Amino acid sequence: MRKKYFFFDIDGTLTDNRTREVVPSAMEALRKLKEAGHFVAIATGRAHYKARPVMEQLRLTDMVCCGGGGLVIDGQLVHNIPLDLKKAQALLREAESLGIGVLLQLTDSIDVYSKNDMFRQQVGPRQEPTNYIFDPQMDYETLPQILKIYLSVSAEDEHKLTLKDTIGHLRFAKEYLIFQYDAKKQGILDMMEVLQADIRDVVVFGDDTNDLVMFDPCWTSVAMGNACEELKEKATYVAERNTDDGIYKICEQMGWFEKV
């Protein structure tokens, strides 16, 4: 068996969306892949601080995180690429002029910053643990970096943001948009360059639209049975649902548990 380089999405791929816990058979599959001599890593849109506990639970040391902007190699965060600052500042000025609530992630932590509490007043709190820090004197133009932007704008009203498409964005909650580095494929390419390995040996697993960017014809892509149809159409293979042991079964079927 030729050595493969596996990259797994977390939410809905490794984890059960109902419980938020890693599927036991998926954890066992990753253990057997590592034991066979393959490279095994995570590829997630999650921020580094939020993804690291999962990486450590799975006893992995390598990860593409922050939507591809973050790279963890041998347990060390090598880089965490922020948003294009000028584009982010322009987007924030437009959002502010439209009366849209703003939250900013400026550091790799649960802290989010804003001039006011308009975001929560408009759509309620973020759907994850958050420490809100308010600074009425905040000046967007003097910020050294911005990692993520959260805007309280609905799908029906997002067309009002004329600068929306200048920065990668996702919608996981119907009430707000998330603007973040969105280049999982580039993150994988960066990792493979460090490893000096052939990208044809890459195997990626995913389930949602934010995984479309890493499903590339130059390598093997596996969509879970619970994946969105767009991803299944782009996949090399479609596994069973993750909660039906889809990861374990396709790894066994493809012979990936055999020793390198």
Side-chain angles (χ1 to χ4, degrees):
M1 167 62 64
R2 183 180 172 94
K3 182 174 181 176
K4 299 294 184 182
Y5 296 79
F6 291 91
F7 294 86
F8 292 87
D9 172 56
I10 296 177
D11 301 295
T13 300
L14 289 172
T15 64
D16 182 339
N17 279 331
R18 296 170 299 174
T19 65
R20 304 297 181 187
E21 298 295 327
V22 175
V23 177
S25 63
M27 187 179 294
E28 176 63 10
L30 268 58
R31 185 191 68 79
K32 292 184 73 169
L33 289 172
K34 285 177 60 184
E35 192 176 72
H38 299 295
F39 174 86
V40 181
I42 286 171
T44 179
R46 289 192 190 190
H48 167 257
Y49 80 90
K50 190 178 176 185
R52 179 169 280 271
V54 180
M55 183 186 78
E56 293 175 348
Q57 177 189 1
L58 295 168
R59 299 182 180 178
L60 301 178
T61 59
D62 303 279
M63 175 169 64
V64 173
C65 56
C66 311
L71 211 61
V72 176
I73 300 174
D74 292 332
Q76 299 299 312
L77 181 63
V78 176
H79 64 232
N80 189 359
I81 302 171
L83 297 175
D84 182 293
L85 193 55
K86 293 300 182 185
K87 291 179 180 179
Q89 290 165 338
L91 176 67
L92 290 170
R93 289 194 297 270
E94 182 178 48
E96 200 168 53
S97 72
L98 293 170
I100 294 172
V102 171
L103 293 178
L104 304 178
Q105 188 180 66
L106 305 178
T107 61
D108 181 37
S109 72
I110 65 171
D111 294 341
V112 292
Y113 298 77
S114 185
K115 294 182 180 181
N116 52 52
D117 201 18
M118 188 183 299
F119 184 96
R120 287 195 299 183
Q121 292 168 357
Q122 292 177 344
V123 300
R126 291 173 63 213
Q127 298 178 1
E128 57 187 273
T130 303
N131 180 37
Y132 297 90
I133 300 171
F134 302 112
D135 178 8
Q137 305 306 315
M138 179 188 292
D139 182 358
Y140 299 143
E141 306 306 315
T142 63
L143 294 175
Q145 70 170 18
I146 300 172
L147 295 175
K148 284 189 181 184
I149 298 172
Y150 300 83
L151 297 183
S152 58
V153 60
S154 67
E156 293 76 20
D157 289 337
E158 66 180 56
H159 68 276
K160 297 177 182 178
L161 286 165
T162 63
L163 299 177
K164 180 190 70 174
D165 295 327
T166 60
I167 302 176
H169 56 277
L170 305 164
R171 183 179 290 279
F172 291 121
K174 65 179 182 179
E175 300 88 358
Y176 58 87
L177 267 178
I178 304 172
F179 292 81
Q180 66 176 51
Y181 195 87
D182 185 25
K184 278 187 181 181
K185 176 186 173 183
Q186 186 58 51
I188 291 171
L189 290 172
D190 291 344
M191 180 72 82
M192 294 298 285
E193 183 175 357
V194 170
L195 298 171
Q196 296 186 320
D198 192 333
I199 63 172
R200 291 175 295 180
D201 293 321
V202 167
V203 182
V204 301
F205 282 73
D207 73 296
D208 211 343
T209 52
N210 65 317
D211 297 318
L212 285 166
V213 294
M214 70 173 182
F215 272 41
D216 194 275
C218 64
W219 53 54
T220 302
S221 303
V222 181
M224 305 313 301
N226 49 289
C228 63
E229 289 304 314
E230 297 163 88
L231 200 67
K232 289 179 180 178
E233 290 172 4
K234 200 174 179 181
T236 314
Y237 304 107
V238 177
E240 293 188 37
R241 298 180 65 85
N242 67 335
T243 52
D244 291 332
D245 306 327
I247 290 176
Y248 190 97
K249 289 176 179 177
I250 196 163
C251 287
E252 187 172 49
Q253 176 186 334
M254 298 299 295
W256 290 329
F257 292 148
E258 296 175 13
K259 296 285 186 181
V260 171

